[in-house]
Amino acid sequence: MTSVVQAAPLTPPGWAGVSTCALSEVEPAGPWRPPYHALLLATRGHGTVEVDFAAQPCRPGTLLWIRPGQALRIGANGLAASVVTFDSQLAGDHWPEHPESPSRWQLEGEDEDAVITEFAQLAVDCERHRSGPVAAELLRHQLAVVLLRIALLTHDPAPLGAEARTFARFRRRLESGHPRSRRVEDYAEEMGCSVRTLTRASLAVTGRTAKQVVDDRVALEARRLLACTPLSVAEVGRHLGFPEPTNFGRFFHREVGMSPGQFRADMGRHQGNGIPTQRRPAD
């Protein structure tokens, strides 16, 4: 069985690593995993954009930051939006590193006016300038201005505490390591700390144990792969470190509340009605 895979109607980053496009009365698209960043600014109407299987209600002034690899679906609605896409290397220091960094804002007042202006100017210059080092620098500079404005929206002058810093390090290692290991002990050893330290940091930041955080991340990747790729259930399991399909099936059912096959089938039945969400097991 193959998954229901569609391409999202976004323009990939262009020759300068940044591009723009507009969404207006688009056909339903996704789920899909853009391999680049996308900033979506709702400009007219109301609708819903689903990011990693969570519905994000949008109205004029809503700003979403979709990160590379997240599952994206745009439903059939009256939402109109401006979109900026850009390569990961252009995020620079402006990409929030804290794992719990916000990815949705409801802009208003001067903040909304400023971001709308920056989006509009970037769109104009992307259309006017199609080559050349000076033009590339201009487009990248304008993107940096947009990202700086977003950074100001999320700026917290208080430094992260020790537990939050430990958890941020843990999550960064988990992002690259979850296909190889689901053992908290492995991450603790890499970081030179104890399992207890990781668990205490995880509980302080998320209310979940370190093991639950690992399992949450693996289950999310499993849903992304089942929803957005034609890989078989067994292939998804092997990619995530489950040599035996039955072990992967048990893990997925425990975390999501249904079998991998049921989840994939529901993706087709829910094309216009939302994506099944991950169950939150009792602590």
Side-chain angles (χ1 to χ4, degrees):
M1 177 183 293
T2 58
S3 60
V4 180
V5 181
Q6 301 177 10
L10 303 184
T11 301
W15 60 277
V18 58
S19 190
T20 65
C21 61
L23 300 180
S24 180
E25 299 180 358
V26 297
E27 291 296 318
W32 179 63
R33 299 180 73 179
Y36 44 77
H37 293 268
L39 298 173
L40 185 149
L41 176 64
T43 56
R44 188 177 70 255
H46 293 71
T48 299
V49 174
E50 292 178 344
V51 182
D52 271 347
F53 315 100
Q56 301 291 342
C58 297
R59 59 184 175 87
T62 301
L63 177 65
L64 300 179
W65 188 333
I66 297 102
R67 267 71 173 193
Q70 290 188 307
L72 171 65
R73 183 160 68 177
I74 301 171
N77 50 56
L79 182 68
S82 297
V83 180
V84 174
T85 61
F86 58 98
D87 292 332
S88 293
Q89 63 265 30
L90 297 185
D93 295 333
H94 312 308
W95 184 3
E97 288 198 14
H98 194 280
E100 305 306 312
S101 296
S103 57
R104 181 186 183 279
W105 302 264
Q106 186 59 50
L107 306 179
E108 55 187 21
E110 293 181 351
D111 288 330
E112 182 179 7
D113 293 341
V115 172
I116 289 174
T117 299
E118 302 294 350
F119 267 61
Q121 187 61 56
L122 184 53
V124 168
D125 286 328
C126 280
E127 183 65 26
R128 290 182 60 204
H129 305 292
R130 302 299 182 90
S131 64
V134 175
E137 188 64 27
L138 171 66
L139 298 180
R140 294 166 186 164
H141 174 77
Q142 289 173 333
L143 171 66
V145 171
V146 173
L147 298 181
L148 284 169
R149 291 196 182 279
I150 295 175
L152 287 173
L153 296 173
T154 60
H155 178 64
D156 183 358
L160 293 178
E163 290 178 338
R165 291 196 301 272
T166 297
F167 182 71
R169 290 176 57 214
F170 173 40
R171 282 294 297 268
R172 286 195 294 271
R173 290 180 180 272
L174 180 59
E175 277 302 302
S176 60
H178 68 266
R180 299 190 303 273
S181 176
R182 301 186 306 278
R183 300 178 69 252
V184 177
E185 292 83 356
D186 292 340
Y187 296 100
E189 182 177 354
E190 288 181 18
M191 295 173 59
C193 65
S194 67
V195 170
R196 178 176 296 183
T197 296
L198 287 188
T199 296
R200 185 168 57 246
S202 298
L203 286 170
V205 174
T206 70
R208 312 267 295 160
T209 68
K211 177 57 176 171
Q212 288 171 328
V213 169
V214 172
D215 288 345
D216 288 345
R217 181 64 185 88
V218 174
L220 172 59
E221 192 67 17
R223 289 190 297 157
R224 287 173 172 177
L225 292 171
L226 289 168
C228 305
T229 77
L231 294 175
S232 69
V233 171
E235 288 171 330
V236 171
R238 285 195 294 272
H239 177 79
L240 295 173
F242 295 88
E244 296 297 327
T246 53
N247 291 338
F248 173 61
R250 283 195 293 268
F251 168 85
F252 192 90
H253 195 282
R254 187 188 76 218
E255 296 299 315
V256 181
M258 64 180 74
S259 72
Q262 288 174 318
F263 176 82
R264 177 164 275 177
D266 275 2
M267 294 301 299
R269 289 197 295 267
H270 290 77
Q271 275 298 297
N273 301 308
I275 298 177
T277 57
Q278 181 174 338
R279 184 177 65 181
R280 300 294 285 182
D283 293 347

